[in-house]
Amino acid sequence: MHAYKDSGKKLFQYITENKLKRGDRLPAETELAEILGISRLTLREAMNALKQEGIISAIQGKGTFVTFDYRYMANFLNLNKSVTEMIEDSGYTCGTSLFLKKLVKAEKEVAGYLNLPEGSDVLVCERIRLADKTPVVYSFDYLAPQLASRFLEITDVEISLYSFVEEKCNIEIGQCMTEIIPVIAEEDLSEKLEVPVNTPLLKFLVRVQDIYGNPIIYALEYLRADKFKFIANRRR
């Protein structure tokens, strides 16, 4: 879910649903407020929020323009969106071609993060996520014990893991530390993501906590570098 208020979400959805591209001009304030069903004051608050994230920018005397490129599924590095949200927010239909749940022996790094003895049984969900039927993410999500028993009951292969945590387990997601590592597709990844061997990929090493700092998910995600981009809005 976006970190914006409802008005910001409405404006963001207007941009994505209308597939506005970088350089496209937004309607004038009066017209846009009417389209979104909000006041001009509320619209300005929404526009300020999206300006801070680099999604839109205003040029005096010319108008407000989209600065976000929707040819890619994109995310800002200061927002923790799930894969499902990244795909759907970019106007694609999210799907799944592989959905496996299995118990494995926790290796040192996984066990250490989830506060388990090394070699303990841990539930992992292995998935291939699709965007308009094209495989774009191959992922492994290792779940903390408090999530595992509930997740075993899940049969919906299209489920968003973050939605499951927040809505089914009533756990509020807190900090998410992510390392982004450039890798190339070896034979197995090449087959899973339907790309040639040695194609550049982005490997995400993700550690998710609840709002109290308890570790809940350790994830490995392999993203197609030709389908995603990530933006950092840096300030000096």
Side-chain angles (χ1 to χ4, degrees), residues 80 113-115 144-147 162 165-166 169-177 206-218:
N80 180 21
Y113 180 69
L114 295 178
N115 293 329
Q146 63 265 39
L147 305 181
Y162 282 8
V165 170
E166 294 172 331
C169 300
N170 296 316
I171 295 175
E172 189 172 346
I173 293 175
Q175 182 173 334
C176 174
M177 182 65 68
V206 186
R207 303 175 181 89
V208 184
Q209 300 176 351
D210 65 17
I211 57 171
Y212 303 107
N214 300 309
I216 53 177
I217 301 169
Y218 181 99

PDB file of all heavy atoms in Angstrom, residues 80 113-115 144-147 162 165-166 169-177 206-218:
ATOM      1  N   ASN A  80       8.231   0.608   0.787  1.00  0.00           N
ATOM      2  CA  ASN A  80       8.301  -0.854   0.819  1.00  0.00           C
ATOM      3  C   ASN A  80       7.024  -1.434   0.229  1.00  0.00           C
ATOM      4  O   ASN A  80       6.063  -1.711   0.934  1.00  0.00           O
ATOM      5  CB  ASN A  80       8.497  -1.340   2.263  1.00  0.00           C
ATOM      6  CG  ASN A  80       8.568  -2.861   2.346  1.00  0.00           C
ATOM      7  OD1 ASN A  80       8.850  -3.525   1.343  1.00  0.00           O
ATOM      8  ND2 ASN A  80       8.308  -3.405   3.516  1.00  0.00           N
ATOM      9  N   TYR A 113      18.649 -14.767  11.122  1.00  0.00           N
ATOM     10  CA  TYR A 113      17.738 -13.630  11.058  1.00  0.00           C
ATOM     11  C   TYR A 113      16.411 -13.933  11.735  1.00  0.00           C
ATOM     12  O   TYR A 113      15.852 -13.079  12.432  1.00  0.00           O
ATOM     13  CB  TYR A 113      17.481 -13.205   9.610  1.00  0.00           C
ATOM     14  CG  TYR A 113      16.532 -12.031   9.549  1.00  0.00           C
ATOM     15  CD1 TYR A 113      16.937 -10.777  10.002  1.00  0.00           C
ATOM     16  CD2 TYR A 113      15.229 -12.183   9.109  1.00  0.00           C
ATOM     17  CE1 TYR A 113      16.068  -9.706  10.003  1.00  0.00           C
ATOM     18  CE2 TYR A 113      14.347 -11.121   9.099  1.00  0.00           C
ATOM     19  CZ  TYR A 113      14.768  -9.875   9.550  1.00  0.00           C
ATOM     20  OH  TYR A 113      13.896  -8.817   9.563  1.00  0.00           O
ATOM     21  N   LEU A 114      15.893 -15.153  11.547  1.00  0.00           N
ATOM     22  CA  LEU A 114      14.592 -15.504  12.115  1.00  0.00           C
ATOM     23  C   LEU A 114      14.688 -16.006  13.555  1.00  0.00           C
ATOM     24  O   LEU A 114      13.700 -16.464  14.125  1.00  0.00           O
ATOM     25  CB  LEU A 114      13.918 -16.569  11.240  1.00  0.00           C
ATOM     26  CG  LEU A 114      13.549 -16.121   9.815  1.00  0.00           C
ATOM     27  CD1 LEU A 114      12.931 -17.280   9.034  1.00  0.00           C
ATOM     28  CD2 LEU A 114      12.602 -14.927   9.837  1.00  0.00           C
ATOM     29  N   ASN A 115      15.875 -15.898  14.146  1.00  0.00           N
ATOM     30  CA  ASN A 115      16.098 -16.315  15.545  1.00  0.00           C
ATOM     31  C   ASN A 115      15.760 -17.795  15.769  1.00  0.00           C
ATOM     32  O   ASN A 115      15.097 -18.165  16.738  1.00  0.00           O
ATOM     33  CB  ASN A 115      15.275 -15.449  16.508  1.00  0.00           C
ATOM     34  CG  ASN A 115      15.749 -14.003  16.524  1.00  0.00           C
ATOM     35  OD1 ASN A 115      16.930 -13.732  16.318  1.00  0.00           O
ATOM     36  ND2 ASN A 115      14.836 -13.083  16.757  1.00  0.00           N
ATOM     37  N   ALA A 144       8.726 -16.640   9.423  1.00  0.00           N
ATOM     38  CA  ALA A 144       8.889 -16.882  10.856  1.00  0.00           C
ATOM     39  C   ALA A 144       7.789 -17.824  11.340  1.00  0.00           C
ATOM     40  O   ALA A 144       6.705 -17.883  10.744  1.00  0.00           O
ATOM     41  CB  ALA A 144       8.824 -15.560  11.612  1.00  0.00           C
ATOM     42  N   PRO A 145       8.047 -18.578  12.428  1.00  0.00           N
ATOM     43  CA  PRO A 145       7.070 -19.565  12.904  1.00  0.00           C
ATOM     44  C   PRO A 145       5.669 -19.013  13.126  1.00  0.00           C
ATOM     45  O   PRO A 145       4.671 -19.703  12.865  1.00  0.00           O
ATOM     46  CB  PRO A 145       7.687 -20.063  14.218  1.00  0.00           C
ATOM     47  CG  PRO A 145       9.157 -19.886  14.016  1.00  0.00           C
ATOM     48  CD  PRO A 145       9.301 -18.631  13.209  1.00  0.00           C
ATOM     49  N   GLN A 146       5.544 -17.755  13.588  1.00  0.00           N
ATOM     50  CA  GLN A 146       4.222 -17.202  13.865  1.00  0.00           C
ATOM     51  C   GLN A 146       3.396 -16.986  12.605  1.00  0.00           C
ATOM     52  O   GLN A 146       2.183 -16.808  12.663  1.00  0.00           O
ATOM     53  CB  GLN A 146       4.322 -15.891  14.663  1.00  0.00           C
ATOM     54  CG  GLN A 146       5.033 -14.748  13.950  1.00  0.00           C
ATOM     55  CD  GLN A 146       6.497 -14.666  14.310  1.00  0.00           C
ATOM     56  OE1 GLN A 146       7.166 -15.690  14.450  1.00  0.00           O
ATOM     57  NE2 GLN A 146       6.997 -13.449  14.476  1.00  0.00           N
ATOM     58  N   LEU A 147       4.048 -16.991  11.437  1.00  0.00           N
ATOM     59  CA  LEU A 147       3.331 -16.869  10.170  1.00  0.00           C
ATOM     60  C   LEU A 147       3.103 -18.214   9.508  1.00  0.00           C
ATOM     61  O   LEU A 147       2.135 -18.400   8.763  1.00  0.00           O
ATOM     62  CB  LEU A 147       4.113 -15.986   9.191  1.00  0.00           C
ATOM     63  CG  LEU A 147       4.517 -14.584   9.623  1.00  0.00           C
ATOM     64  CD1 LEU A 147       5.261 -13.898   8.483  1.00  0.00           C
ATOM     65  CD2 LEU A 147       3.322 -13.763  10.033  1.00  0.00           C
ATOM     66  N   TYR A 162       2.486  -9.574   1.780  1.00  0.00           N
ATOM     67  CA  TYR A 162       2.332  -8.455   2.712  1.00  0.00           C
ATOM     68  C   TYR A 162       0.871  -8.313   3.149  1.00  0.00           C
ATOM     69  O   TYR A 162       0.592  -8.031   4.314  1.00  0.00           O
ATOM     70  CB  TYR A 162       2.819  -7.150   2.074  1.00  0.00           C
ATOM     71  CG  TYR A 162       4.321  -6.992   2.048  1.00  0.00           C
ATOM     72  CD1 TYR A 162       5.165  -8.036   2.423  1.00  0.00           C
ATOM     73  CD2 TYR A 162       4.914  -5.810   1.647  1.00  0.00           C
ATOM     74  CE1 TYR A 162       6.538  -7.896   2.401  1.00  0.00           C
ATOM     75  CE2 TYR A 162       6.289  -5.645   1.619  1.00  0.00           C
ATOM     76  CZ  TYR A 162       7.090  -6.699   1.988  1.00  0.00           C
ATOM     77  OH  TYR A 162       8.461  -6.547   1.966  1.00  0.00           O
ATOM     78  N   VAL A 165       0.161 -10.958   5.741  1.00  0.00           N
ATOM     79  CA  VAL A 165       0.713 -10.607   7.049  1.00  0.00           C
ATOM     80  C   VAL A 165      -0.169  -9.583   7.753  1.00  0.00           C
ATOM     81  O   VAL A 165      -0.495  -9.718   8.938  1.00  0.00           O
ATOM     82  CB  VAL A 165       2.156 -10.069   6.901  1.00  0.00           C
ATOM     83  CG1 VAL A 165       2.643  -9.473   8.218  1.00  0.00           C
ATOM     84  CG2 VAL A 165       3.088 -11.182   6.447  1.00  0.00           C
ATOM     85  N   GLU A 166      -0.583  -8.560   7.006  1.00  0.00           N
ATOM     86  CA  GLU A 166      -1.326  -7.461   7.620  1.00  0.00           C
ATOM     87  C   GLU A 166      -2.791  -7.794   7.860  1.00  0.00           C
ATOM     88  O   GLU A 166      -3.351  -7.425   8.902  1.00  0.00           O
ATOM     89  CB  GLU A 166      -1.203  -6.215   6.742  1.00  0.00           C
ATOM     90  CG  GLU A 166       0.225  -5.675   6.677  1.00  0.00           C
ATOM     91  CD  GLU A 166       0.395  -4.559   5.665  1.00  0.00           C
ATOM     92  OE1 GLU A 166      -0.344  -4.546   4.660  1.00  0.00           O
ATOM     93  OE2 GLU A 166       1.266  -3.710   5.873  1.00  0.00           O
ATOM     94  N   CYS A 169      -2.946 -12.099   9.470  1.00  0.00           N
ATOM     95  CA  CYS A 169      -2.214 -12.321  10.727  1.00  0.00           C
ATOM     96  C   CYS A 169      -2.297 -11.126  11.675  1.00  0.00           C
ATOM     97  O   CYS A 169      -1.828 -11.212  12.813  1.00  0.00           O
ATOM     98  CB  CYS A 169      -0.743 -12.646  10.427  1.00  0.00           C
ATOM     99  SG  CYS A 169      -0.516 -14.124   9.421  1.00  0.00           S
ATOM    100  N   ASN A 170      -2.889 -10.029  11.201  1.00  0.00           N
ATOM    101  CA  ASN A 170      -3.016  -8.811  12.014  1.00  0.00           C
ATOM    102  C   ASN A 170      -1.669  -8.348  12.563  1.00  0.00           C
ATOM    103  O   ASN A 170      -1.543  -7.947  13.713  1.00  0.00           O
ATOM    104  CB  ASN A 170      -4.001  -9.032  13.171  1.00  0.00           C
ATOM    105  CG  ASN A 170      -5.410  -9.290  12.677  1.00  0.00           C
ATOM    106  OD1 ASN A 170      -5.887  -8.612  11.767  1.00  0.00           O
ATOM    107  ND2 ASN A 170      -6.072 -10.280  13.253  1.00  0.00           N
ATOM    108  N   ILE A 171      -0.648  -8.432  11.708  1.00  0.00           N
ATOM    109  CA  ILE A 171       0.692  -7.971  12.070  1.00  0.00           C
ATOM    110  C   ILE A 171       1.030  -6.774  11.192  1.00  0.00           C
ATOM    111  O   ILE A 171       0.946  -6.848   9.964  1.00  0.00           O
ATOM    112  CB  ILE A 171       1.737  -9.085  11.867  1.00  0.00           C
ATOM    113  CG1 ILE A 171       1.476 -10.248  12.840  1.00  0.00           C
ATOM    114  CG2 ILE A 171       3.154  -8.550  12.056  1.00  0.00           C
ATOM    115  CD1 ILE A 171       2.377 -11.434  12.615  1.00  0.00           C
ATOM    116  N   GLU A 172       1.398  -5.663  11.809  1.00  0.00           N
ATOM    117  CA  GLU A 172       1.748  -4.467  11.055  1.00  0.00           C
ATOM    118  C   GLU A 172       3.215  -4.535  10.662  1.00  0.00           C
ATOM    119  O   GLU A 172       4.084  -4.743  11.515  1.00  0.00           O
ATOM    120  CB  GLU A 172       1.479  -3.213  11.887  1.00  0.00           C
ATOM    121  CG  GLU A 172       1.616  -1.925  11.096  1.00  0.00           C
ATOM    122  CD  GLU A 172       1.171  -0.718  11.878  1.00  0.00           C
ATOM    123  OE1 GLU A 172       0.513  -0.889  12.924  1.00  0.00           O
ATOM    124  OE2 GLU A 172       1.494   0.412  11.456  1.00  0.00           O
ATOM    125  N   ILE A 173       3.467  -4.396   9.378  1.00  0.00           N
ATOM    126  CA  ILE A 173       4.836  -4.470   8.872  1.00  0.00           C
ATOM    127  C   ILE A 173       5.586  -3.194   9.221  1.00  0.00           C
ATOM    128  O   ILE A 173       5.083  -2.084   9.044  1.00  0.00           O
ATOM    129  CB  ILE A 173       4.844  -4.705   7.356  1.00  0.00           C
ATOM    130  CG1 ILE A 173       4.285  -6.104   7.046  1.00  0.00           C
ATOM    131  CG2 ILE A 173       6.249  -4.561   6.780  1.00  0.00           C
ATOM    132  CD1 ILE A 173       4.128  -6.392   5.572  1.00  0.00           C
ATOM    133  N   GLY A 174       6.804  -3.366   9.724  1.00  0.00           N
ATOM    134  CA  GLY A 174       7.631  -2.229  10.102  1.00  0.00           C
ATOM    135  C   GLY A 174       8.784  -2.050   9.134  1.00  0.00           C
ATOM    136  O   GLY A 174       8.593  -1.943   7.929  1.00  0.00           O
ATOM    137  N   GLN A 175       9.978  -2.070   9.647  1.00  0.00           N
ATOM    138  CA  GLN A 175      11.167  -1.817   8.824  1.00  0.00           C
ATOM    139  C   GLN A 175      11.455  -2.986   7.891  1.00  0.00           C
ATOM    140  O   GLN A 175      11.277  -4.151   8.238  1.00  0.00           O
ATOM    141  CB  GLN A 175      12.380  -1.567   9.722  1.00  0.00           C
ATOM    142  CG  GLN A 175      13.656  -1.241   8.966  1.00  0.00           C
ATOM    143  CD  GLN A 175      14.780  -0.843   9.889  1.00  0.00           C
ATOM    144  OE1 GLN A 175      14.564  -0.363  10.985  1.00  0.00           O
ATOM    145  NE2 GLN A 175      16.003  -1.054   9.448  1.00  0.00           N
ATOM    146  N   CYS A 176      11.921  -2.643   6.696  1.00  0.00           N
ATOM    147  CA  CYS A 176      12.326  -3.643   5.709  1.00  0.00           C
ATOM    148  C   CYS A 176      13.702  -3.247   5.178  1.00  0.00           C
ATOM    149  O   CYS A 176      13.844  -2.205   4.544  1.00  0.00           O
ATOM    150  CB  CYS A 176      11.308  -3.715   4.578  1.00  0.00           C
ATOM    151  SG  CYS A 176      11.795  -4.790   3.220  1.00  0.00           S
ATOM    152  N   MET A 177      14.698  -4.056   5.461  1.00  0.00           N
ATOM    153  CA  MET A 177      16.056  -3.788   4.982  1.00  0.00           C
ATOM    154  C   MET A 177      16.300  -4.623   3.723  1.00  0.00           C
ATOM    155  O   MET A 177      16.127  -5.845   3.742  1.00  0.00           O
ATOM    156  CB  MET A 177      17.085  -4.150   6.052  1.00  0.00           C
ATOM    157  CG  MET A 177      18.519  -3.864   5.642  1.00  0.00           C
ATOM    158  SD  MET A 177      18.853  -2.110   5.400  1.00  0.00           S
ATOM    159  CE  MET A 177      18.717  -1.522   7.102  1.00  0.00           C
ATOM    160  N   VAL A 206      16.036  -9.545   1.246  1.00  0.00           N
ATOM    161  CA  VAL A 206      15.059  -8.739   1.985  1.00  0.00           C
ATOM    162  C   VAL A 206      14.855  -9.292   3.389  1.00  0.00           C
ATOM    163  O   VAL A 206      14.618 -10.488   3.564  1.00  0.00           O
ATOM    164  CB  VAL A 206      13.702  -8.712   1.248  1.00  0.00           C
ATOM    165  CG1 VAL A 206      12.734  -7.754   1.941  1.00  0.00           C
ATOM    166  CG2 VAL A 206      13.882  -8.329  -0.210  1.00  0.00           C
ATOM    167  N   ARG A 207      14.940  -8.402   4.382  1.00  0.00           N
ATOM    168  CA  ARG A 207      14.680  -8.766   5.776  1.00  0.00           C
ATOM    169  C   ARG A 207      13.560  -7.876   6.290  1.00  0.00           C
ATOM    170  O   ARG A 207      13.716  -6.657   6.375  1.00  0.00           O
ATOM    171  CB  ARG A 207      15.945  -8.595   6.624  1.00  0.00           C
ATOM    172  CG  ARG A 207      17.151  -9.395   6.125  1.00  0.00           C
ATOM    173  CD  ARG A 207      18.380  -9.048   6.954  1.00  0.00           C
ATOM    174  NE  ARG A 207      19.579  -9.746   6.516  1.00  0.00           N
ATOM    175  CZ  ARG A 207      20.414  -9.284   5.597  1.00  0.00           C
ATOM    176  NH1 ARG A 207      20.164  -8.126   5.005  1.00  0.00           N
ATOM    177  NH2 ARG A 207      21.496  -9.961   5.255  1.00  0.00           N
ATOM    178  N   VAL A 208      12.440  -8.490   6.631  1.00  0.00           N
ATOM    179  CA  VAL A 208      11.242  -7.744   7.022  1.00  0.00           C
ATOM    180  C   VAL A 208      10.968  -7.938   8.506  1.00  0.00           C
ATOM    181  O   VAL A 208      10.993  -9.065   9.016  1.00  0.00           O
ATOM    182  CB  VAL A 208      10.012  -8.197   6.208  1.00  0.00           C
ATOM    183  CG1 VAL A 208       8.794  -7.338   6.554  1.00  0.00           C
ATOM    184  CG2 VAL A 208      10.304  -8.137   4.714  1.00  0.00           C
ATOM    185  N   GLN A 209      10.663  -6.834   9.188  1.00  0.00           N
ATOM    186  CA  GLN A 209      10.314  -6.865  10.605  1.00  0.00           C
ATOM    187  C   GLN A 209       8.895  -6.353  10.804  1.00  0.00           C
ATOM    188  O   GLN A 209       8.341  -5.658   9.947  1.00  0.00           O
ATOM    189  CB  GLN A 209      11.259  -5.974  11.415  1.00  0.00           C
ATOM    190  CG  GLN A 209      12.722  -6.354  11.341  1.00  0.00           C
ATOM    191  CD  GLN A 209      13.604  -5.364  12.095  1.00  0.00           C
ATOM    192  OE1 GLN A 209      13.143  -4.315  12.530  1.00  0.00           O
ATOM    193  NE2 GLN A 209      14.871  -5.705  12.246  1.00  0.00           N
ATOM    194  N   ASP A 210       8.312  -6.689  11.963  1.00  0.00           N
ATOM    195  CA  ASP A 210       7.060  -6.038  12.334  1.00  0.00           C
ATOM    196  C   ASP A 210       7.393  -4.711  13.008  1.00  0.00           C
ATOM    197  O   ASP A 210       8.568  -4.341  13.135  1.00  0.00           O
ATOM    198  CB  ASP A 210       6.195  -6.941  13.215  1.00  0.00           C
ATOM    199  CG  ASP A 210       6.823  -7.248  14.584  1.00  0.00           C
ATOM    200  OD1 ASP A 210       7.754  -6.531  15.005  1.00  0.00           O
ATOM    201  OD2 ASP A 210       6.367  -8.206  15.238  1.00  0.00           O
ATOM    202  N   ILE A 211       6.374  -3.969  13.438  1.00  0.00           N
ATOM    203  CA  ILE A 211       6.625  -2.633  13.984  1.00  0.00           C
ATOM    204  C   ILE A 211       7.352  -2.677  15.323  1.00  0.00           C
ATOM    205  O   ILE A 211       7.834  -1.650  15.803  1.00  0.00           O
ATOM    206  CB  ILE A 211       5.311  -1.843  14.137  1.00  0.00           C
ATOM    207  CG1 ILE A 211       4.311  -2.591  15.031  1.00  0.00           C
ATOM    208  CG2 ILE A 211       4.713  -1.533  12.789  1.00  0.00           C
ATOM    209  CD1 ILE A 211       3.095  -1.754  15.382  1.00  0.00           C
ATOM    210  N   TYR A 212       7.432  -3.867  15.929  1.00  0.00           N
ATOM    211  CA  TYR A 212       8.141  -3.997  17.202  1.00  0.00           C
ATOM    212  C   TYR A 212       9.571  -4.478  17.015  1.00  0.00           C
ATOM    213  O   TYR A 212      10.287  -4.729  17.983  1.00  0.00           O
ATOM    214  CB  TYR A 212       7.382  -4.956  18.123  1.00  0.00           C
ATOM    215  CG  TYR A 212       5.955  -4.529  18.366  1.00  0.00           C
ATOM    216  CD1 TYR A 212       4.900  -5.213  17.775  1.00  0.00           C
ATOM    217  CD2 TYR A 212       5.654  -3.424  19.165  1.00  0.00           C
ATOM    218  CE1 TYR A 212       3.584  -4.813  17.973  1.00  0.00           C
ATOM    219  CE2 TYR A 212       4.344  -3.021  19.368  1.00  0.00           C
ATOM    220  CZ  TYR A 212       3.317  -3.714  18.765  1.00  0.00           C
ATOM    221  OH  TYR A 212       2.016  -3.314  18.965  1.00  0.00           O
ATOM    222  N   GLY A 213       9.982  -4.635  15.754  1.00  0.00           N
ATOM    223  CA  GLY A 213      11.349  -5.059  15.470  1.00  0.00           C
ATOM    224  C   GLY A 213      11.535  -6.559  15.434  1.00  0.00           C
ATOM    225  O   GLY A 213      12.677  -7.041  15.352  1.00  0.00           O
ATOM    226  N   ASN A 214      10.438  -7.327  15.476  1.00  0.00           N
ATOM    227  CA  ASN A 214      10.547  -8.784  15.415  1.00  0.00           C
ATOM    228  C   ASN A 214      10.694  -9.240  13.964  1.00  0.00           C
ATOM    229  O   ASN A 214       9.915  -8.816  13.104  1.00  0.00           O
ATOM    230  CB  ASN A 214       9.303  -9.439  16.023  1.00  0.00           C
ATOM    231  CG  ASN A 214       9.096  -9.060  17.466  1.00  0.00           C
ATOM    232  OD1 ASN A 214      10.006  -9.165  18.282  1.00  0.00           O
ATOM    233  ND2 ASN A 214       7.898  -8.597  17.806  1.00  0.00           N
ATOM    234  N   PRO A 215      11.655 -10.090  13.652  1.00  0.00           N
ATOM    235  CA  PRO A 215      11.821 -10.570  12.271  1.00  0.00           C
ATOM    236  C   PRO A 215      10.680 -11.483  11.864  1.00  0.00           C
ATOM    237  O   PRO A 215      10.290 -12.383  12.619  1.00  0.00           O
ATOM    238  CB  PRO A 215      13.146 -11.334  12.325  1.00  0.00           C
ATOM    239  CG  PRO A 215      13.298 -11.750  13.756  1.00  0.00           C
ATOM    240  CD  PRO A 215      12.658 -10.673  14.570  1.00  0.00           C
ATOM    241  N   ILE A 216      10.120 -11.252  10.685  1.00  0.00           N
ATOM    242  CA  ILE A 216       8.983 -12.071  10.245  1.00  0.00           C
ATOM    243  C   ILE A 216       9.207 -12.732   8.881  1.00  0.00           C
ATOM    244  O   ILE A 216       8.646 -13.795   8.618  1.00  0.00           O
ATOM    245  CB  ILE A 216       7.672 -11.270  10.232  1.00  0.00           C
ATOM    246  CG1 ILE A 216       7.816  -9.973   9.432  1.00  0.00           C
ATOM    247  CG2 ILE A 216       7.212 -10.964  11.655  1.00  0.00           C
ATOM    248  CD1 ILE A 216       6.535  -9.162   9.309  1.00  0.00           C
ATOM    249  N   ILE A 217      10.020 -12.115   8.012  1.00  0.00           N
ATOM    250  CA  ILE A 217      10.240 -12.695   6.682  1.00  0.00           C
ATOM    251  C   ILE A 217      11.695 -12.468   6.271  1.00  0.00           C
ATOM    252  O   ILE A 217      12.243 -11.382   6.457  1.00  0.00           O
ATOM    253  CB  ILE A 217       9.336 -12.053   5.615  1.00  0.00           C
ATOM    254  CG1 ILE A 217       7.854 -12.204   5.948  1.00  0.00           C
ATOM    255  CG2 ILE A 217       9.616 -12.664   4.226  1.00  0.00           C
ATOM    256  CD1 ILE A 217       6.944 -11.371   5.066  1.00  0.00           C
ATOM    257  N   TYR A 218      12.300 -13.516   5.731  1.00  0.00           N
ATOM    258  CA  TYR A 218      13.605 -13.418   5.089  1.00  0.00           C
ATOM    259  C   TYR A 218      13.376 -13.861   3.647  1.00  0.00           C
ATOM    260  O   TYR A 218      12.879 -14.969   3.410  1.00  0.00           O
ATOM    261  CB  TYR A 218      14.619 -14.323   5.777  1.00  0.00           C
ATOM    262  CG  TYR A 218      16.013 -14.281   5.191  1.00  0.00           C
ATOM    263  CD1 TYR A 218      17.012 -13.511   5.770  1.00  0.00           C
ATOM    264  CD2 TYR A 218      16.338 -15.021   4.057  1.00  0.00           C
ATOM    265  CE1 TYR A 218      18.294 -13.467   5.234  1.00  0.00           C
ATOM    266  CE2 TYR A 218      17.602 -14.990   3.512  1.00  0.00           C
ATOM    267  CZ  TYR A 218      18.586 -14.211   4.110  1.00  0.00           C
ATOM    268  OH  TYR A 218      19.845 -14.170   3.575  1.00  0.00           O
TER     269      TYR A 218
END
